[in-house]
Amino acid sequence: MKDFGGGDLRDILAGVDAVLARFPVDPKRLGITGWSYGGYMTMWAVTQTERFRAAVAGAGIANWQSYYGENLIDRWMIPFFGASVYEDPSVYAKSSPISFITRVKTPTLVVVGEKDAECPAPQSFEFWHALKALGVPTQLVVYPGEGHEFAEPAHRDDRVNRTLAWFEKHLQE
């Protein structure tokens, strides 16, 4: 509570450390990706650490303050943040990747469905726009007509292929 993303990122990094300690993984060639909450965690991770050399954020949340007013499912947020955004905007800001955007150095591909009502496309636009303005290698792909889950097989295939190509390009030595 009131640490949205923080504890989860500590868990992710502990998991990465455990893998690095046990298996022959190159720590300089790590990537991170996720969809929905995982997309948010990808956005959050690249604002909090430089451990990842490439990232792909799918249907993520960049700004919890604006997100609160962009969706119809805002009541779920109150138990996690401790109040509505109108009562305590600072707790939402401290968990918003956009609040820490100037820290990002990680090349980040941002993908989203045009009609995503759960993680609205403007969240992805905001993150991508900031990265572009700051000179961070980035690309935004918006899939026309798609919601949170992609219905069109060609779009699902394209998303996977773009993800693989992004990591191949940015995780090379």
Side-chain angles (χ1 to χ4, degrees), residues 110-130:
V110 181
V111 296
V112 67
E114 172 192 33
K115 296 182 178 183
D116 192 331
E118 293 177 44
C119 297
Q123 292 293 315
S124 292
F125 296 156
E126 185 173 355
F127 197 76
W128 165 80
H129 184 271

Side-chain angles (χ1 to χ4, degrees), residues 124-144:
S124 292
F125 296 156
E126 185 173 355
F127 197 76
W128 165 80
H129 184 271
L131 293 179
K132 186 176 175 198
L134 294 167
V136 177
T138 189
Q139 182 181 5
L140 172 67
V141 181
V142 180
Y143 291 89

